Amino acid sequence: MNLKLRVWRQKDASKAGKIEEYEAKNINPHMSFLEMLDVVNEGLAQNGVEPIAFDSDCREGICGMCSLVINGIPHGPDRGTATCQLHMRKFKDGDTITIEPWRAKAFPVVKDLVTDRSAFDRIIQAGGFVSVNTGCAPEANAIPIGKHLADPAMDAAACIGCGACVAACKNASAMLFVAAKVSHLALLPQGQVEKAARVQKMVAAMDREQFGNCTNQFECEAACPKEISVSFISKMNQEYLKAFKGDIL
Amino acid sequence: MSNFLKSSVGRKSVMAVTGLLLFGFVIIHMIGNLQLFLGQDALNDYAKHLVEMPLLLWPARVVLLAILVTHIFVSMSLAKENRVARPVRYTQGATIQASYASRTMVMSGIIIFLFIVYHLLHFTFGKIQPQFYDQLDAEGRKDVYGMIVYGFQNIYVSGAYVTAMAVLCFHLSHGLQSLFQSLGLRSNALAPLLKKMAVGLSLFIFIGNTSIPLSILLGFVRMPGVGR
Ligand code: HEM
Ligand code: SF4
Ligand code: FES
């Protein structure tokens, strides 16, 4: 198949970027979206044009490294699929495809389609962990966890930290990511001790990074490659209000 | 407490609580208004009782104004940050599932605010149609019934009220479900019910309030002793 690509090119964070047009010729419909870009880049390199920079790592939908806003939708049109798992058969021969980086103040563009997502790391550092005394690994079944808790905790833990929720949100809010991390730990017995402090610190860290404020439109959930539910945002809001209960009432 | 009020989540909960209180007022206000259908005597009597309780009326007005001002200021501070959070927009944007109402909350809010100003100038301060404002009924009470009936016989005035109620209905169709999420009370199991409730209550407000100008325009409600 032959496609026309409109791709955001930007030399580095300090330079202004713009959309450039490229042809993608003889694309195999079984290729993944990233393989298609590899092919295009090969052609660009042969013609002495700087290849398009984009992020990827595992290419099997588990690492959260790939990104790309494809025709306005983070990770493209396929629901519950990361860009690396999106196949070209989802497009039609002759299509024009617009490819842009995640857009958020907290995710500055490093180059072309690559953004700096270390804001997420700083949110995790603020409280996305449980503190344990090191030593040998504890016996895995020492703390029994009911299925009613284990299941939602696993659902929340499926978040791969890609940032598509921020890219999709009309306000560039990071609520879905933070809610997934807060909920995952708040549901498990190991996370109970630091529960209140964790949600306060992580929300404060999120606000410091200048992500936007949630308006409950749920674009995040629709774009999330792991289909993390917005019910976790409700859970985080509840945890947050509980953590401040003494102060408010 | 100050950390709470500075945070995104804390301010969202302030939006939810003030929005809910404003909604509560809208319901009570509507029930009061609907006494128009009980006739001139009932409505003017109700209005007289209200102004005869200044110790209740004035604190209520002050509290209500404070709630409205809080709702507006917090929404503006949140909205301003949201603009800053995405300095470069997408050249090709898309919306996957966000409702139109949810995407126009600031706009619908501003229209509601302008309407509140108009409404106060009209019926509270008597600046829009002063000719109907200071009339008395046969019993010597302020003729609120006459003020409303004569006022709404003007199609432009009625039109403004009906339009404003449509916008309020729109604002609430998102707001009344959104507030549960903001307060951490929404679950996937409850979501369909909350949605139906929000749309139902918004329509209830719309139909209830617009029934007044529409009944007057269509001549179902008129001044006593006046034929068609
Ligand atoms: C009778 C008047 C009003 C009522 C009953 C009302 C009700 C509500 C409710 C229930 C919410 C939901 C809160 C939440 O998302 O958790 C809300 C949100 C909001 N309101 Fe109002 N409101 C009124 C007037 C206004 C005015 C005058 C403005 C602005 C000038 C405004 C702007 C907003 C905004 C921006 C939101 C946030 C929307 C979002 O987060 O998506 N509202 N309102
Ligand atoms: S919640 Fe979903 S979209 Fe957001 S970072 Fe996690 S996996 Fe990515
Ligand atoms: S490259 Fe790892 S999730 Fe896409």
Side-chain angles (χ1 to χ4, degrees), chain A residues 98 100 103 105 166-167 169-170 207 213 216 218-219 229-230 234 237-238, chain B residues 7-8 81-82 85-86 90-92 95-98 178 181 184 186 188:
Chain A
T98 304
E100 296 177 77
R103 291 289 187 206
K105 186 169 179 26
V166 174
C169 176
K170 303 284 179 201
D207 292 347
N213 306 296
N216 304 331
F218 307 161
E219 289 287 281
S229 165
V230 292
S234 180
N237 289 339
Q238 194 179 76
Chain B
S7 73
S8 53
E81 288 171 12
N82 293 348
R86 176 159 296 136
Y90 292 108
T91 61
Q92 186 181 342
T95 292
I96 316 171
Q97 64 178 14
S178 173
Q181 176 84 350
R186 179 185 175 281
N188 283 345

PDB file of all heavy atoms in Angstrom, chain A residues 98 100 103 105 166-167 169-170 207 213 216 218-219 229-230 234 237-238, chain B residues 7-8 81-82 85-86 90-92 95-98 178 181 184 186 188:
ATOM      1  N   THR A  98      -1.555  11.687   9.674  1.00  0.00           N
ATOM      2  CA  THR A  98      -0.847  12.745  10.393  1.00  0.00           C
ATOM      3  C   THR A  98      -0.247  12.171  11.672  1.00  0.00           C
ATOM      4  O   THR A  98      -0.948  11.502  12.437  1.00  0.00           O
ATOM      5  CB  THR A  98      -1.812  13.895  10.739  1.00  0.00           C
ATOM      6  OG1 THR A  98      -2.416  14.359   9.528  1.00  0.00           O
ATOM      7  CG2 THR A  98      -1.079  15.043  11.417  1.00  0.00           C
ATOM      8  N   GLU A 100       1.951  13.098  15.105  1.00  0.00           N
ATOM      9  CA  GLU A 100       2.461  14.166  15.966  1.00  0.00           C
ATOM     10  C   GLU A 100       2.942  13.579  17.290  1.00  0.00           C
ATOM     11  O   GLU A 100       2.530  12.487  17.679  1.00  0.00           O
ATOM     12  CB  GLU A 100       1.354  15.196  16.230  1.00  0.00           C
ATOM     13  CG  GLU A 100       0.906  15.926  14.963  1.00  0.00           C
ATOM     14  CD  GLU A 100      -0.245  16.880  15.233  1.00  0.00           C
ATOM     15  OE1 GLU A 100      -0.003  17.960  15.781  1.00  0.00           O
ATOM     16  OE2 GLU A 100      -1.389  16.528  14.900  1.00  0.00           O
ATOM     17  N   ARG A 103       1.437  15.946  23.119  1.00  0.00           N
ATOM     18  CA  ARG A 103       1.455  17.395  23.330  1.00  0.00           C
ATOM     19  C   ARG A 103       1.102  17.716  24.768  1.00  0.00           C
ATOM     20  O   ARG A 103      -0.050  17.569  25.174  1.00  0.00           O
ATOM     21  CB  ARG A 103       0.439  18.064  22.403  1.00  0.00           C
ATOM     22  CG  ARG A 103       0.807  18.027  20.934  1.00  0.00           C
ATOM     23  CD  ARG A 103       1.950  18.939  20.652  1.00  0.00           C
ATOM     24  NE  ARG A 103       2.213  19.039  19.217  1.00  0.00           N
ATOM     25  CZ  ARG A 103       3.414  19.338  18.725  1.00  0.00           C
ATOM     26  NH1 ARG A 103       4.435  19.535  19.538  1.00  0.00           N
ATOM     27  NH2 ARG A 103       3.579  19.448  17.426  1.00  0.00           N
ATOM     28  N   LYS A 105       2.787  20.398  28.158  1.00  0.00           N
ATOM     29  CA  LYS A 105       3.890  21.185  28.695  1.00  0.00           C
ATOM     30  C   LYS A 105       4.834  20.290  29.506  1.00  0.00           C
ATOM     31  O   LYS A 105       6.040  20.452  29.477  1.00  0.00           O
ATOM     32  CB  LYS A 105       3.328  22.295  29.591  1.00  0.00           C
ATOM     33  CG  LYS A 105       4.390  23.262  30.078  1.00  0.00           C
ATOM     34  CD  LYS A 105       3.718  24.456  30.702  1.00  0.00           C
ATOM     35  CE  LYS A 105       4.570  25.478  31.235  1.00  0.00           C
ATOM     36  NZ  LYS A 105       5.679  26.010  31.160  1.00  0.00           N
ATOM     37  N   VAL A 166      -2.326  11.367  28.932  1.00  0.00           N
ATOM     38  CA  VAL A 166      -2.029  12.804  28.943  1.00  0.00           C
ATOM     39  C   VAL A 166      -2.214  13.382  27.542  1.00  0.00           C
ATOM     40  O   VAL A 166      -2.813  14.442  27.356  1.00  0.00           O
ATOM     41  CB  VAL A 166      -0.579  13.048  29.419  1.00  0.00           C
ATOM     42  CG1 VAL A 166      -0.215  14.522  29.305  1.00  0.00           C
ATOM     43  CG2 VAL A 166      -0.399  12.550  30.845  1.00  0.00           C
ATOM     44  N   ALA A 167      -1.694  12.647  26.559  1.00  0.00           N
ATOM     45  CA  ALA A 167      -1.765  13.122  25.174  1.00  0.00           C
ATOM     46  C   ALA A 167      -3.206  13.237  24.702  1.00  0.00           C
ATOM     47  O   ALA A 167      -3.559  14.151  23.961  1.00  0.00           O
ATOM     48  CB  ALA A 167      -0.992  12.177  24.266  1.00  0.00           C
ATOM     49  N   CYS A 169      -5.951  13.612  26.691  1.00  0.00           N
ATOM     50  CA  CYS A 169      -6.783  14.487  27.521  1.00  0.00           C
ATOM     51  C   CYS A 169      -6.837  15.894  26.942  1.00  0.00           C
ATOM     52  O   CYS A 169      -5.812  16.457  26.561  1.00  0.00           O
ATOM     53  CB  CYS A 169      -6.229  14.537  28.940  1.00  0.00           C
ATOM     54  SG  CYS A 169      -7.136  15.689  29.997  1.00  0.00           S
ATOM     55  N   LYS A 170      -8.040  16.475  26.907  1.00  0.00           N
ATOM     56  CA  LYS A 170      -8.213  17.840  26.397  1.00  0.00           C
ATOM     57  C   LYS A 170      -7.437  18.832  27.258  1.00  0.00           C
ATOM     58  O   LYS A 170      -7.169  19.946  26.831  1.00  0.00           O
ATOM     59  CB  LYS A 170      -9.694  18.232  26.412  1.00  0.00           C
ATOM     60  CG  LYS A 170     -10.601  17.295  25.635  1.00  0.00           C
ATOM     61  CD  LYS A 170     -10.474  17.506  24.149  1.00  0.00           C
ATOM     62  CE  LYS A 170     -11.359  16.549  23.384  1.00  0.00           C
ATOM     63  NZ  LYS A 170     -10.917  16.370  21.998  1.00  0.00           N
ATOM     64  N   ASP A 207       0.738  17.840  40.162  1.00  0.00           N
ATOM     65  CA  ASP A 207       0.425  19.259  39.987  1.00  0.00           C
ATOM     66  C   ASP A 207       1.695  20.078  39.726  1.00  0.00           C
ATOM     67  O   ASP A 207       1.689  21.001  38.914  1.00  0.00           O
ATOM     68  CB  ASP A 207      -0.316  19.813  41.215  1.00  0.00           C
ATOM     69  CG  ASP A 207      -1.723  19.223  41.346  1.00  0.00           C
ATOM     70  OD1 ASP A 207      -2.194  18.609  40.378  1.00  0.00           O
ATOM     71  OD2 ASP A 207      -2.344  19.383  42.417  1.00  0.00           O
ATOM     72  N   ASN A 213      -5.892  19.864  34.655  1.00  0.00           N
ATOM     73  CA  ASN A 213      -6.856  19.344  35.627  1.00  0.00           C
ATOM     74  C   ASN A 213      -7.932  18.533  34.910  1.00  0.00           C
ATOM     75  O   ASN A 213      -8.439  18.939  33.883  1.00  0.00           O
ATOM     76  CB  ASN A 213      -7.498  20.507  36.376  1.00  0.00           C
ATOM     77  CG  ASN A 213      -6.452  21.414  37.003  1.00  0.00           C
ATOM     78  OD1 ASN A 213      -5.707  21.000  37.881  1.00  0.00           O
ATOM     79  ND2 ASN A 213      -6.357  22.639  36.521  1.00  0.00           N
ATOM     80  N   ASN A 216     -13.212  15.077  33.675  1.00  0.00           N
ATOM     81  CA  ASN A 216     -14.086  13.892  33.604  1.00  0.00           C
ATOM     82  C   ASN A 216     -14.708  13.683  32.230  1.00  0.00           C
ATOM     83  O   ASN A 216     -15.904  13.451  32.111  1.00  0.00           O
ATOM     84  CB  ASN A 216     -15.182  13.985  34.677  1.00  0.00           C
ATOM     85  CG  ASN A 216     -14.595  14.162  36.059  1.00  0.00           C
ATOM     86  OD1 ASN A 216     -13.484  13.706  36.332  1.00  0.00           O
ATOM     87  ND2 ASN A 216     -15.309  14.849  36.936  1.00  0.00           N
ATOM     88  N   PHE A 218     -13.075  11.536  29.998  1.00  0.00           N
ATOM     89  CA  PHE A 218     -12.733  10.133  29.765  1.00  0.00           C
ATOM     90  C   PHE A 218     -12.079   9.849  28.416  1.00  0.00           C
ATOM     91  O   PHE A 218     -12.133   8.717  27.921  1.00  0.00           O
ATOM     92  CB  PHE A 218     -13.965   9.236  29.976  1.00  0.00           C
ATOM     93  CG  PHE A 218     -14.638   9.433  31.313  1.00  0.00           C
ATOM     94  CD1 PHE A 218     -15.945   9.027  31.529  1.00  0.00           C
ATOM     95  CD2 PHE A 218     -13.961  10.045  32.370  1.00  0.00           C
ATOM     96  CE1 PHE A 218     -16.571   9.209  32.761  1.00  0.00           C
ATOM     97  CE2 PHE A 218     -14.572  10.231  33.606  1.00  0.00           C
ATOM     98  CZ  PHE A 218     -15.887   9.818  33.798  1.00  0.00           C
ATOM     99  N   GLU A 219     -11.443  10.854  27.819  1.00  0.00           N
ATOM    100  CA  GLU A 219     -10.670  10.609  26.599  1.00  0.00           C
ATOM    101  C   GLU A 219      -9.484   9.691  26.902  1.00  0.00           C
ATOM    102  O   GLU A 219      -9.062   8.896  26.065  1.00  0.00           O
ATOM    103  CB  GLU A 219     -10.136  11.933  26.026  1.00  0.00           C
ATOM    104  CG  GLU A 219     -11.203  12.812  25.420  1.00  0.00           C
ATOM    105  CD  GLU A 219     -11.706  12.269  24.106  1.00  0.00           C
ATOM    106  OE1 GLU A 219     -11.050  12.430  23.076  1.00  0.00           O
ATOM    107  OE2 GLU A 219     -12.801  11.670  24.124  1.00  0.00           O
ATOM    108  N   SER A 229      -9.321   1.718  33.488  1.00  0.00           N
ATOM    109  CA  SER A 229     -10.650   2.297  33.668  1.00  0.00           C
ATOM    110  C   SER A 229     -10.606   3.618  34.447  1.00  0.00           C
ATOM    111  O   SER A 229      -9.827   3.754  35.400  1.00  0.00           O
ATOM    112  CB  SER A 229     -11.534   1.299  34.423  1.00  0.00           C
ATOM    113  OG  SER A 229     -12.687   1.954  34.901  1.00  0.00           O
ATOM    114  N   VAL A 230     -11.465   4.559  34.052  1.00  0.00           N
ATOM    115  CA  VAL A 230     -11.542   5.830  34.785  1.00  0.00           C
ATOM    116  C   VAL A 230     -12.129   5.641  36.186  1.00  0.00           C
ATOM    117  O   VAL A 230     -12.103   6.565  36.986  1.00  0.00           O
ATOM    118  CB  VAL A 230     -12.371   6.905  34.037  1.00  0.00           C
ATOM    119  CG1 VAL A 230     -11.665   7.357  32.778  1.00  0.00           C
ATOM    120  CG2 VAL A 230     -13.776   6.412  33.734  1.00  0.00           C
ATOM    121  N   SER A 234     -11.817   7.872  40.050  1.00  0.00           N
ATOM    122  CA  SER A 234     -12.776   8.068  41.137  1.00  0.00           C
ATOM    123  C   SER A 234     -12.177   7.537  42.448  1.00  0.00           C
ATOM    124  O   SER A 234     -12.257   8.183  43.493  1.00  0.00           O
ATOM    125  CB  SER A 234     -14.072   7.329  40.801  1.00  0.00           C
ATOM    126  OG  SER A 234     -15.013   7.490  41.831  1.00  0.00           O
ATOM    127  N   ASN A 237      -9.593   9.968  43.714  1.00  0.00           N
ATOM    128  CA  ASN A 237     -10.240  11.145  44.301  1.00  0.00           C
ATOM    129  C   ASN A 237     -10.730  10.828  45.704  1.00  0.00           C
ATOM    130  O   ASN A 237     -10.585  11.634  46.631  1.00  0.00           O
ATOM    131  CB  ASN A 237     -11.412  11.599  43.425  1.00  0.00           C
ATOM    132  CG  ASN A 237     -10.943  12.221  42.118  1.00  0.00           C
ATOM    133  OD1 ASN A 237      -9.797  12.664  42.021  1.00  0.00           O
ATOM    134  ND2 ASN A 237     -11.810  12.258  41.135  1.00  0.00           N
ATOM    135  N   GLN A 238     -11.304   9.617  45.848  1.00  0.00           N
ATOM    136  CA  GLN A 238     -11.807   9.214  47.152  1.00  0.00           C
ATOM    137  C   GLN A 238     -10.660   9.079  48.160  1.00  0.00           C
ATOM    138  O   GLN A 238     -10.762   9.562  49.292  1.00  0.00           O
ATOM    139  CB  GLN A 238     -12.525   7.874  46.991  1.00  0.00           C
ATOM    140  CG  GLN A 238     -13.378   7.485  48.144  1.00  0.00           C
ATOM    141  CD  GLN A 238     -14.048   6.145  47.861  1.00  0.00           C
ATOM    142  OE1 GLN A 238     -13.406   5.102  47.938  1.00  0.00           O
ATOM    143  NE2 GLN A 238     -15.325   6.178  47.510  1.00  0.00           N
TER     144      GLN A 238
ATOM    145  N   SER B   7      -4.548  22.082  45.375  1.00  0.00           N
ATOM    146  CA  SER B   7      -4.355  20.919  44.500  1.00  0.00           C
ATOM    147  C   SER B   7      -5.444  20.831  43.436  1.00  0.00           C
ATOM    148  O   SER B   7      -6.530  21.386  43.579  1.00  0.00           O
ATOM    149  CB  SER B   7      -4.372  19.647  45.336  1.00  0.00           C
ATOM    150  OG  SER B   7      -5.697  19.372  45.750  1.00  0.00           O
ATOM    151  N   SER B   8      -5.126  20.122  42.370  1.00  0.00           N
ATOM    152  CA  SER B   8      -6.096  19.911  41.298  1.00  0.00           C
ATOM    153  C   SER B   8      -7.305  19.145  41.828  1.00  0.00           C
ATOM    154  O   SER B   8      -8.451  19.555  41.633  1.00  0.00           O
ATOM    155  CB  SER B   8      -5.437  19.130  40.162  1.00  0.00           C
ATOM    156  OG  SER B   8      -4.835  17.954  40.659  1.00  0.00           O
ATOM    157  N   GLU B  81      -5.157  26.915  33.972  1.00  0.00           N
ATOM    158  CA  GLU B  81      -4.057  25.941  34.027  1.00  0.00           C
ATOM    159  C   GLU B  81      -4.156  24.918  32.894  1.00  0.00           C
ATOM    160  O   GLU B  81      -3.139  24.466  32.373  1.00  0.00           O
ATOM    161  CB  GLU B  81      -4.083  25.197  35.372  1.00  0.00           C
ATOM    162  CG  GLU B  81      -3.661  26.058  36.533  1.00  0.00           C
ATOM    163  CD  GLU B  81      -3.901  25.383  37.874  1.00  0.00           C
ATOM    164  OE1 GLU B  81      -4.191  24.168  37.908  1.00  0.00           O
ATOM    165  OE2 GLU B  81      -3.819  26.086  38.891  1.00  0.00           O
ATOM    166  N   ASN B  82      -5.376  24.573  32.555  1.00  0.00           N
ATOM    167  CA  ASN B  82      -5.545  23.592  31.480  1.00  0.00           C
ATOM    168  C   ASN B  82      -5.027  24.114  30.148  1.00  0.00           C
ATOM    169  O   ASN B  82      -4.510  23.360  29.334  1.00  0.00           O
ATOM    170  CB  ASN B  82      -7.016  23.189  31.348  1.00  0.00           C
ATOM    171  CG  ASN B  82      -7.488  22.409  32.561  1.00  0.00           C
ATOM    172  OD1 ASN B  82      -6.680  21.993  33.383  1.00  0.00           O
ATOM    173  ND2 ASN B  82      -8.787  22.231  32.678  1.00  0.00           N
ATOM    174  N   ALA B  85      -1.296  23.901  30.244  1.00  0.00           N
ATOM    175  CA  ALA B  85      -0.784  22.528  30.219  1.00  0.00           C
ATOM    176  C   ALA B  85      -0.560  22.001  28.802  1.00  0.00           C
ATOM    177  O   ALA B  85       0.123  20.994  28.620  1.00  0.00           O
ATOM    178  CB  ALA B  85      -1.738  21.600  30.974  1.00  0.00           C
ATOM    179  N   ARG B  86      -1.151  22.653  27.803  1.00  0.00           N
ATOM    180  CA  ARG B  86      -0.897  22.229  26.416  1.00  0.00           C
ATOM    181  C   ARG B  86      -0.579  23.451  25.571  1.00  0.00           C
ATOM    182  O   ARG B  86      -1.450  23.987  24.876  1.00  0.00           O
ATOM    183  CB  ARG B  86      -2.080  21.446  25.844  1.00  0.00           C
ATOM    184  CG  ARG B  86      -1.873  21.083  24.364  1.00  0.00           C
ATOM    185  CD  ARG B  86      -2.720  19.923  23.870  1.00  0.00           C
ATOM    186  NE  ARG B  86      -2.385  18.687  24.555  1.00  0.00           N
ATOM    187  CZ  ARG B  86      -3.290  17.827  25.016  1.00  0.00           C
ATOM    188  NH1 ARG B  86      -4.566  18.059  24.859  1.00  0.00           N
ATOM    189  NH2 ARG B  86      -2.894  16.731  25.629  1.00  0.00           N
ATOM    190  N   TYR B  90      -2.535  20.205  18.843  1.00  0.00           N
ATOM    191  CA  TYR B  90      -2.389  19.261  17.732  1.00  0.00           C
ATOM    192  C   TYR B  90      -2.828  19.941  16.443  1.00  0.00           C
ATOM    193  O   TYR B  90      -3.803  20.695  16.431  1.00  0.00           O
ATOM    194  CB  TYR B  90      -3.258  18.024  17.977  1.00  0.00           C
ATOM    195  CG  TYR B  90      -2.786  17.181  19.141  1.00  0.00           C
ATOM    196  CD1 TYR B  90      -3.485  17.141  20.337  1.00  0.00           C
ATOM    197  CD2 TYR B  90      -1.607  16.446  19.038  1.00  0.00           C
ATOM    198  CE1 TYR B  90      -3.031  16.389  21.410  1.00  0.00           C
ATOM    199  CE2 TYR B  90      -1.141  15.692  20.105  1.00  0.00           C
ATOM    200  CZ  TYR B  90      -1.858  15.662  21.290  1.00  0.00           C
ATOM    201  OH  TYR B  90      -1.399  14.925  22.349  1.00  0.00           O
ATOM    202  N   THR B  91      -2.097  19.675  15.341  1.00  0.00           N
ATOM    203  CA  THR B  91      -2.552  20.244  14.066  1.00  0.00           C
ATOM    204  C   THR B  91      -3.812  19.510  13.624  1.00  0.00           C
ATOM    205  O   THR B  91      -4.672  20.073  12.988  1.00  0.00           O
ATOM    206  CB  THR B  91      -1.486  20.122  12.964  1.00  0.00           C
ATOM    207  OG1 THR B  91      -1.200  18.746  12.757  1.00  0.00           O
ATOM    208  CG2 THR B  91      -0.205  20.845  13.347  1.00  0.00           C
ATOM    209  N   GLN B  92      -3.871  18.222  13.969  1.00  0.00           N
ATOM    210  CA  GLN B  92      -5.101  17.490  13.696  1.00  0.00           C
ATOM    211  C   GLN B  92      -5.606  16.891  15.001  1.00  0.00           C
ATOM    212  O   GLN B  92      -5.100  15.871  15.460  1.00  0.00           O
ATOM    213  CB  GLN B  92      -4.848  16.390  12.654  1.00  0.00           C
ATOM    214  CG  GLN B  92      -6.134  15.715  12.258  1.00  0.00           C
ATOM    215  CD  GLN B  92      -5.919  14.601  11.245  1.00  0.00           C
ATOM    216  OE1 GLN B  92      -4.890  14.520  10.593  1.00  0.00           O
ATOM    217  NE2 GLN B  92      -6.902  13.730  11.126  1.00  0.00           N
ATOM    218  N   THR B  95     -11.638  13.823  18.853  1.00  0.00           N
ATOM    219  CA  THR B  95     -12.337  13.534  20.099  1.00  0.00           C
ATOM    220  C   THR B  95     -12.821  12.105  20.013  1.00  0.00           C
ATOM    221  O   THR B  95     -13.465  11.733  19.039  1.00  0.00           O
ATOM    222  CB  THR B  95     -13.523  14.491  20.282  1.00  0.00           C
ATOM    223  OG1 THR B  95     -12.989  15.809  20.495  1.00  0.00           O
ATOM    224  CG2 THR B  95     -14.368  14.103  21.479  1.00  0.00           C
ATOM    225  N   ILE B  96     -12.487  11.292  21.017  1.00  0.00           N
ATOM    226  CA  ILE B  96     -12.866   9.879  20.937  1.00  0.00           C
ATOM    227  C   ILE B  96     -14.237   9.662  21.580  1.00  0.00           C
ATOM    228  O   ILE B  96     -15.127   9.097  20.966  1.00  0.00           O
ATOM    229  CB  ILE B  96     -11.812   8.959  21.585  1.00  0.00           C
ATOM    230  CG1 ILE B  96     -10.388   9.390  21.159  1.00  0.00           C
ATOM    231  CG2 ILE B  96     -12.063   7.503  21.187  1.00  0.00           C
ATOM    232  CD1 ILE B  96      -9.272   8.700  21.908  1.00  0.00           C
ATOM    233  N   GLN B  97     -14.393  10.103  22.815  1.00  0.00           N
ATOM    234  CA  GLN B  97     -15.684   9.839  23.462  1.00  0.00           C
ATOM    235  C   GLN B  97     -16.195  10.972  24.360  1.00  0.00           C
ATOM    236  O   GLN B  97     -17.250  10.841  24.958  1.00  0.00           O
ATOM    237  CB  GLN B  97     -15.619   8.528  24.256  1.00  0.00           C
ATOM    238  CG  GLN B  97     -14.627   8.545  25.429  1.00  0.00           C
ATOM    239  CD  GLN B  97     -14.639   7.238  26.222  1.00  0.00           C
ATOM    240  OE1 GLN B  97     -15.182   6.244  25.762  1.00  0.00           O
ATOM    241  NE2 GLN B  97     -14.064   7.248  27.413  1.00  0.00           N
ATOM    242  N   ALA B  98     -15.475  12.092  24.446  1.00  0.00           N
ATOM    243  CA  ALA B  98     -15.936  13.180  25.303  1.00  0.00           C
ATOM    244  C   ALA B  98     -17.203  13.805  24.730  1.00  0.00           C
ATOM    245  O   ALA B  98     -17.273  14.099  23.544  1.00  0.00           O
ATOM    246  CB  ALA B  98     -14.846  14.238  25.436  1.00  0.00           C
ATOM    247  N   SER B 178     -20.537  14.361  36.395  1.00  0.00           N
ATOM    248  CA  SER B 178     -19.126  14.639  36.646  1.00  0.00           C
ATOM    249  C   SER B 178     -18.841  14.787  38.143  1.00  0.00           C
ATOM    250  O   SER B 178     -17.795  14.355  38.635  1.00  0.00           O
ATOM    251  CB  SER B 178     -18.761  15.913  35.890  1.00  0.00           C
ATOM    252  OG  SER B 178     -17.478  16.346  36.189  1.00  0.00           O
ATOM    253  N   GLN B 181     -17.813  11.653  40.000  1.00  0.00           N
ATOM    254  CA  GLN B 181     -16.439  11.241  39.736  1.00  0.00           C
ATOM    255  C   GLN B 181     -15.477  12.102  40.558  1.00  0.00           C
ATOM    256  O   GLN B 181     -14.553  11.608  41.176  1.00  0.00           O
ATOM    257  CB  GLN B 181     -16.150  11.377  38.227  1.00  0.00           C
ATOM    258  CG  GLN B 181     -14.721  11.062  37.817  1.00  0.00           C
ATOM    259  CD  GLN B 181     -14.470   9.575  37.616  1.00  0.00           C
ATOM    260  OE1 GLN B 181     -15.292   8.742  37.949  1.00  0.00           O
ATOM    261  NE2 GLN B 181     -13.318   9.231  37.064  1.00  0.00           N
ATOM    262  N   GLY B 184     -15.213  11.070  44.034  1.00  0.00           N
ATOM    263  CA  GLY B 184     -14.815   9.686  44.264  1.00  0.00           C
ATOM    264  C   GLY B 184     -15.972   8.749  44.539  1.00  0.00           C
ATOM    265  O   GLY B 184     -15.814   7.746  45.229  1.00  0.00           O
ATOM    266  N   ARG B 186     -18.115   7.597  41.939  1.00  0.00           N
ATOM    267  CA  ARG B 186     -18.575   6.917  40.730  1.00  0.00           C
ATOM    268  C   ARG B 186     -17.838   5.588  40.578  1.00  0.00           C
ATOM    269  O   ARG B 186     -16.659   5.485  40.853  1.00  0.00           O
ATOM    270  CB  ARG B 186     -18.282   7.783  39.507  1.00  0.00           C
ATOM    271  CG  ARG B 186     -18.699   7.186  38.175  1.00  0.00           C
ATOM    272  CD  ARG B 186     -18.226   8.105  37.047  1.00  0.00           C
ATOM    273  NE  ARG B 186     -18.481   7.574  35.731  1.00  0.00           N
ATOM    274  CZ  ARG B 186     -17.744   6.648  35.126  1.00  0.00           C
ATOM    275  NH1 ARG B 186     -16.708   6.135  35.748  1.00  0.00           N
ATOM    276  NH2 ARG B 186     -18.054   6.230  33.915  1.00  0.00           N
ATOM    277  N   ASN B 188     -17.869   1.945  37.812  1.00  0.00           N
ATOM    278  CA  ASN B 188     -18.366   1.526  36.494  1.00  0.00           C
ATOM    279  C   ASN B 188     -19.769   0.956  36.585  1.00  0.00           C
ATOM    280  O   ASN B 188     -20.559   1.078  35.656  1.00  0.00           O
ATOM    281  CB  ASN B 188     -17.407   0.519  35.858  1.00  0.00           C
ATOM    282  CG  ASN B 188     -16.180   1.221  35.296  1.00  0.00           C
ATOM    283  OD1 ASN B 188     -16.179   2.450  35.140  1.00  0.00           O
ATOM    284  ND2 ASN B 188     -15.146   0.459  35.004  1.00  0.00           N
TER     285      ASN B 188
END
